[in-house]
mmCIF file of all heavy atoms in Angstrom:
data_model
loop_
_atom_site.group_PDB
_atom_site.id
_atom_site.type_symbol
_atom_site.label_atom_id
_atom_site.label_comp_id
_atom_site.label_asym_id
_atom_site.label_seq_id
_atom_site.Cartn_x
_atom_site.Cartn_y
_atom_site.Cartn_z
ATOM 1 N N LYS A 212 0.834 -1.201 0.000
ATOM 2 C CA LYS A 212 0.000 0.000 0.000
ATOM 3 C C LYS A 212 0.868 1.250 0.000
ATOM 4 O O LYS A 212 2.008 1.223 0.457
ATOM 5 C CB LYS A 212 -0.942 0.006 1.201
ATOM 6 C CG LYS A 212 -0.246 0.009 2.542
ATOM 7 C CD LYS A 212 -1.260 -0.041 3.662
ATOM 8 C CE LYS A 212 -0.513 -0.082 5.004
ATOM 9 N NZ LYS A 212 -1.433 -0.114 6.121
ATOM 10 N N PRO A 213 0.335 2.357 -0.482
ATOM 11 C CA PRO A 213 1.089 3.611 -0.474
ATOM 12 C C PRO A 213 1.122 4.213 0.937
ATOM 13 O O PRO A 213 0.458 3.737 1.845
ATOM 14 C CB PRO A 213 0.299 4.503 -1.440
ATOM 15 C CG PRO A 213 -1.057 3.912 -1.487
ATOM 16 C CD PRO A 213 -0.926 2.452 -1.171
ATOM 17 N N PHE A 214 1.872 5.264 1.090
ATOM 18 C CA PHE A 214 1.958 5.966 2.368
ATOM 19 C C PHE A 214 0.649 6.696 2.650
ATOM 20 O O PHE A 214 -0.031 7.143 1.726
ATOM 21 C CB PHE A 214 3.103 6.976 2.335
ATOM 22 C CG PHE A 214 4.439 6.347 2.091
ATOM 23 C CD1 PHE A 214 5.022 6.394 0.840
ATOM 24 C CD2 PHE A 214 5.110 5.695 3.111
ATOM 25 C CE1 PHE A 214 6.254 5.814 0.610
ATOM 26 C CE2 PHE A 214 6.341 5.111 2.896
ATOM 27 C CZ PHE A 214 6.922 5.165 1.636
ATOM 28 N N ARG A 215 0.292 6.858 3.947
ATOM 29 C CA ARG A 215 -0.937 7.566 4.337
ATOM 30 C C ARG A 215 -0.586 8.667 5.325
ATOM 31 O O ARG A 215 0.245 8.474 6.203
ATOM 32 C CB ARG A 215 -1.919 6.608 5.009
ATOM 33 C CG ARG A 215 -2.501 5.607 4.054
ATOM 34 C CD ARG A 215 -3.456 4.696 4.750
ATOM 35 N NE ARG A 215 -4.582 5.496 5.237
ATOM 36 C CZ ARG A 215 -5.511 5.056 6.045
ATOM 37 N NH1 ARG A 215 -5.469 3.828 6.489
ATOM 38 N NH2 ARG A 215 -6.498 5.812 6.445
ATOM 39 N N ILE A 216 -1.227 9.821 5.172
ATOM 40 C CA ILE A 216 -1.045 10.927 6.109
ATOM 41 C C ILE A 216 -2.388 11.595 6.376
ATOM 42 O O ILE A 216 -3.361 11.364 5.659
ATOM 43 C CB ILE A 216 -0.036 11.982 5.599
ATOM 44 C CG1 ILE A 216 -0.488 12.573 4.263
ATOM 45 C CG2 ILE A 216 1.351 11.416 5.509
ATOM 46 C CD1 ILE A 216 0.374 13.717 3.792
ATOM 47 N N ILE A 217 -2.414 12.449 7.389
ATOM 48 C CA ILE A 217 -3.612 13.224 7.703
ATOM 49 C C ILE A 217 -3.505 14.587 7.016
ATOM 50 O O ILE A 217 -2.407 15.032 6.681
ATOM 51 C CB ILE A 217 -3.800 13.360 9.229
ATOM 52 C CG1 ILE A 217 -2.578 14.010 9.880
ATOM 53 C CG2 ILE A 217 -4.102 12.001 9.856
ATOM 54 C CD1 ILE A 217 -2.717 14.267 11.371
ATOM 55 N N PRO A 218 -4.634 15.259 6.793
ATOM 56 C CA PRO A 218 -4.634 16.515 6.035
ATOM 57 C C PRO A 218 -3.699 17.611 6.562
ATOM 58 O O PRO A 218 -3.127 18.351 5.778
ATOM 59 C CB PRO A 218 -6.086 16.972 6.099
ATOM 60 C CG PRO A 218 -6.855 15.724 6.299
ATOM 61 C CD PRO A 218 -5.985 14.826 7.121
ATOM 62 N N LYS A 219 -3.504 17.685 7.887
ATOM 63 C CA LYS A 219 -2.651 18.767 8.395
ATOM 64 C C LYS A 219 -1.181 18.545 8.052
ATOM 65 O O LYS A 219 -0.367 19.433 8.227
ATOM 66 C CB LYS A 219 -2.843 18.951 9.898
ATOM 67 C CG LYS A 219 -2.281 17.872 10.773
ATOM 68 C CD LYS A 219 -2.491 18.207 12.229
ATOM 69 C CE LYS A 219 -1.790 17.185 13.120
ATOM 70 N NZ LYS A 219 -1.961 17.507 14.513
ATOM 71 N N GLU A 220 -0.827 17.368 7.523
ATOM 72 C CA GLU A 220 0.536 17.091 7.096
ATOM 73 C C GLU A 220 0.749 17.346 5.605
ATOM 74 O O GLU A 220 1.763 16.974 5.047
ATOM 75 C CB GLU A 220 0.900 15.651 7.432
ATOM 76 C CG GLU A 220 0.913 15.374 8.922
ATOM 77 C CD GLU A 220 1.146 13.912 9.255
ATOM 78 O OE1 GLU A 220 0.735 13.034 8.466
ATOM 79 O OE2 GLU A 220 1.737 13.657 10.312
ATOM 80 N N ILE A 221 -0.227 18.012 4.984
ATOM 81 C CA ILE A 221 -0.161 18.310 3.555
ATOM 82 C C ILE A 221 0.091 19.808 3.378
ATOM 83 O O ILE A 221 -0.560 20.631 4.002
ATOM 84 C CB ILE A 221 -1.480 17.936 2.854
ATOM 85 C CG1 ILE A 221 -1.708 16.435 2.942
ATOM 86 C CG2 ILE A 221 -1.475 18.411 1.407
ATOM 87 C CD1 ILE A 221 -3.070 16.010 2.464
ATOM 88 N N THR A 222 1.035 20.131 2.516
ATOM 89 C CA THR A 222 1.329 21.523 2.196
ATOM 90 C C THR A 222 1.168 21.720 0.693
ATOM 91 O O THR A 222 1.773 20.972 -0.088
ATOM 92 C CB THR A 222 2.781 21.879 2.600
ATOM 93 O OG1 THR A 222 2.945 21.612 3.988
ATOM 94 C CG2 THR A 222 3.084 23.324 2.304
ATOM 95 N N PRO A 223 0.380 22.709 0.282
ATOM 96 C CA PRO A 223 0.263 22.964 -1.158
ATOM 97 C C PRO A 223 1.597 23.416 -1.733
ATOM 98 O O PRO A 223 2.406 24.042 -1.046
ATOM 99 C CB PRO A 223 -0.765 24.088 -1.249
ATOM 100 C CG PRO A 223 -1.297 24.301 0.109
ATOM 101 C CD PRO A 223 -0.417 23.614 1.079
ATOM 102 N N ILE A 224 1.822 23.112 -2.987
ATOM 103 C CA ILE A 224 3.031 23.553 -3.679
ATOM 104 C C ILE A 224 2.715 24.885 -4.350
ATOM 105 O O ILE A 224 1.802 24.962 -5.176
ATOM 106 C CB ILE A 224 3.470 22.529 -4.739
ATOM 107 C CG1 ILE A 224 3.766 21.184 -4.078
ATOM 108 C CG2 ILE A 224 4.676 23.052 -5.520
ATOM 109 C CD1 ILE A 224 4.049 20.065 -5.048
ATOM 110 N N PRO A 225 3.455 25.939 -4.019
ATOM 111 C CA PRO A 225 3.208 27.231 -4.676
ATOM 112 C C PRO A 225 3.486 27.129 -6.176
ATOM 113 O O PRO A 225 4.479 26.530 -6.596
ATOM 114 C CB PRO A 225 4.202 28.178 -4.007
ATOM 115 C CG PRO A 225 4.610 27.504 -2.743
ATOM 116 C CD PRO A 225 4.495 26.027 -3.009
ATOM 117 N N LEU A 226 2.603 27.694 -6.963
ATOM 118 C CA LEU A 226 2.770 27.693 -8.411
ATOM 119 C C LEU A 226 3.926 28.618 -8.760
ATOM 120 O O LEU A 226 4.079 29.686 -8.178
ATOM 121 C CB LEU A 226 1.476 28.176 -9.071
ATOM 122 C CG LEU A 226 1.330 27.944 -10.566
ATOM 123 C CD1 LEU A 226 1.509 26.482 -10.917
ATOM 124 C CD2 LEU A 226 -0.032 28.423 -11.029
ATOM 125 N N SER A 227 4.753 28.205 -9.690
ATOM 126 C CA SER A 227 5.899 29.005 -10.117
ATOM 127 C C SER A 227 6.124 28.796 -11.611
ATOM 128 O O SER A 227 5.534 27.892 -12.215
ATOM 129 C CB SER A 227 7.154 28.598 -9.352
ATOM 130 O OG SER A 227 7.514 27.276 -9.691
ATOM 131 N N SER A 228 6.984 29.601 -12.186
ATOM 132 C CA SER A 228 7.266 29.461 -13.615
ATOM 133 C C SER A 228 7.891 28.099 -13.920
ATOM 134 O O SER A 228 7.621 27.509 -14.966
ATOM 135 C CB SER A 228 8.170 30.591 -14.101
ATOM 136 O OG SER A 228 9.379 30.598 -13.382
ATOM 137 N N SER A 229 8.703 27.555 -13.004
ATOM 138 C CA SER A 229 9.301 26.240 -13.259
ATOM 139 C C SER A 229 8.233 25.141 -13.266
ATOM 140 O O SER A 229 8.312 24.198 -14.054
ATOM 141 C CB SER A 229 10.406 25.922 -12.256
ATOM 142 O OG SER A 229 9.906 25.891 -10.955
ATOM 143 N N TRP A 230 7.214 25.244 -12.398
ATOM 144 C CA TRP A 230 6.123 24.275 -12.427
ATOM 145 C C TRP A 230 5.324 24.414 -13.715
ATOM 146 O O TRP A 230 4.945 23.406 -14.323
ATOM 147 C CB TRP A 230 5.212 24.439 -11.211
ATOM 148 C CG TRP A 230 5.751 23.724 -10.014
ATOM 149 C CD1 TRP A 230 6.457 24.265 -8.981
ATOM 150 C CD2 TRP A 230 5.654 22.333 -9.738
ATOM 151 N NE1 TRP A 230 6.802 23.285 -8.078
ATOM 152 C CE2 TRP A 230 6.314 22.091 -8.514
ATOM 153 C CE3 TRP A 230 5.060 21.264 -10.392
ATOM 154 C CZ2 TRP A 230 6.417 20.828 -7.944
ATOM 155 C CZ3 TRP A 230 5.156 20.005 -9.820
ATOM 156 C CH2 TRP A 230 5.819 19.797 -8.610
ATOM 157 N N LEU A 231 5.058 25.648 -14.154
ATOM 158 C CA LEU A 231 4.328 25.842 -15.409
ATOM 159 C C LEU A 231 5.073 25.204 -16.572
ATOM 160 O O LEU A 231 4.477 24.509 -17.394
ATOM 161 C CB LEU A 231 4.099 27.330 -15.679
ATOM 162 C CG LEU A 231 3.102 28.031 -14.766
ATOM 163 C CD1 LEU A 231 3.067 29.517 -15.073
ATOM 164 C CD2 LEU A 231 1.718 27.431 -14.902
ATOM 165 N N GLU A 232 6.370 25.428 -16.639
ATOM 166 C CA GLU A 232 7.178 24.820 -17.697
ATOM 167 C C GLU A 232 7.133 23.299 -17.591
ATOM 168 O O GLU A 232 7.057 22.603 -18.600
ATOM 169 C CB GLU A 232 8.615 25.315 -17.609
ATOM 170 C CG GLU A 232 8.769 26.766 -18.003
ATOM 171 C CD GLU A 232 10.165 27.311 -17.702
ATOM 172 O OE1 GLU A 232 11.099 26.510 -17.450
ATOM 173 O OE2 GLU A 232 10.306 28.546 -17.711
ATOM 174 N N GLY A 233 7.176 22.783 -16.369
ATOM 175 C CA GLY A 233 7.109 21.340 -16.163
ATOM 176 C C GLY A 233 5.809 20.729 -16.660
ATOM 177 O O GLY A 233 5.766 19.573 -17.071
ATOM 178 N N PHE A 234 4.728 21.517 -16.625
ATOM 179 C CA PHE A 234 3.430 21.053 -17.119
ATOM 180 C C PHE A 234 3.260 21.307 -18.615
ATOM 181 O O PHE A 234 2.234 20.965 -19.187
ATOM 182 C CB PHE A 234 2.289 21.731 -16.366
ATOM 183 C CG PHE A 234 2.046 21.168 -14.995
ATOM 184 C CD1 PHE A 234 2.128 21.984 -13.876
ATOM 185 C CD2 PHE A 234 1.734 19.840 -14.815
ATOM 186 C CE1 PHE A 234 1.897 21.478 -12.597
ATOM 187 C CE2 PHE A 234 1.501 19.321 -13.542
ATOM 188 C CZ PHE A 234 1.587 20.139 -12.435
ATOM 189 N N GLY A 235 4.253 21.910 -19.263
ATOM 190 C CA GLY A 235 4.190 22.098 -20.708
ATOM 191 C C GLY A 235 3.736 23.464 -21.175
ATOM 192 O O GLY A 235 3.462 23.653 -22.355
ATOM 193 N N PHE A 236 3.646 24.434 -20.265
ATOM 194 C CA PHE A 236 3.295 25.787 -20.675
ATOM 195 C C PHE A 236 4.476 26.407 -21.416
ATOM 196 O O PHE A 236 5.624 26.291 -20.987
ATOM 197 C CB PHE A 236 2.954 26.666 -19.462
ATOM 198 C CG PHE A 236 1.581 26.427 -18.905
ATOM 199 C CD1 PHE A 236 1.315 25.318 -18.124
ATOM 200 C CD2 PHE A 236 0.551 27.318 -19.168
ATOM 201 C CE1 PHE A 236 0.048 25.096 -17.605
ATOM 202 C CE2 PHE A 236 -0.715 27.104 -18.659
ATOM 203 C CZ PHE A 236 -0.965 25.987 -17.877
ATOM 204 N N THR A 237 4.196 27.059 -22.535
ATOM 205 C CA THR A 237 5.205 27.770 -23.307
ATOM 206 C C THR A 237 4.780 29.218 -23.403
ATOM 207 O O THR A 237 3.655 29.509 -23.807
ATOM 208 C CB THR A 237 5.321 27.172 -24.722
ATOM 209 O OG1 THR A 237 5.547 25.768 -24.601
ATOM 210 C CG2 THR A 237 6.449 27.806 -25.498
#
């Protein structure tokens, strides 16, 4: 099984230009 955590252990990833490029934005 995969790892399990509770919601308070989750941190959103801030959107950045490197993430946009990683998703294929040009």
Side-chain angles (χ1 to χ4, degrees):
K212 61 182 178 179
F214 300 101
R215 290 180 64 190
I216 59 174
I217 57 176
K219 71 178 186 179
E220 296 175 329
I221 296 171
T222 303
I224 300 173
L226 194 55
S227 66
S228 59
S229 61
W230 277 99
L231 290 175
E232 290 171 15
F234 283 121
F236 282 77
T237 306

